[in-house]
Amino acid sequence: MMLDRIHVDPRVCGGKATIRGLRITVDFVLKLLGDGYTAADIVREYPELQVEDVYQAAKYGAWLASERISAAS
């Protein structure tokens, strides 16, 4: 899966995943989606973002949620 718009830099936003290195975090975008905002709504409110940024944030969140955690032996 290509997530070329998602950046993690320990010097930006405390190392949280951001959109294209902007100071807009993936978790913030996901919270907006969870609150019922559409991709179009988010882009309208944050014009530095693009619709594909929102979709990649959702893909990244889904990827993280699908990871399995194994119990320690």
Side-chain angles (χ1 to χ4, degrees):
M1 166 178 24
M2 181 184 274
L3 296 170
D4 59 342
R5 294 170 181 259
I6 307 300
H7 294 242
V8 179
D9 182 335
R11 299 167 295 177
V12 178
C13 294
K16 287 185 173 185
T18 61
I19 308 295
R20 291 185 287 117
L22 301 170
R23 294 189 181 274
I24 298 176
T25 61
V26 169
D27 68 307
F28 177 70
V29 173
L30 293 176
K31 287 174 187 174
L32 291 174
L33 289 169
D35 286 342
Y37 286 74
T38 66
D41 295 334
I42 295 169
V43 170
R44 186 172 43 257
E45 293 294 320
Y46 300 92
E48 60 272 37
L49 294 177
Q50 299 169 357
V51 171
E52 184 59 30
D53 296 328
V54 177
Y55 293 150
Q56 278 202 17
K59 286 179 192 175
Y60 182 73
W63 176 75
L64 288 176
S66 69
E67 285 195 355
R68 295 177 191 227
I69 301 194
S70 59
S73 301

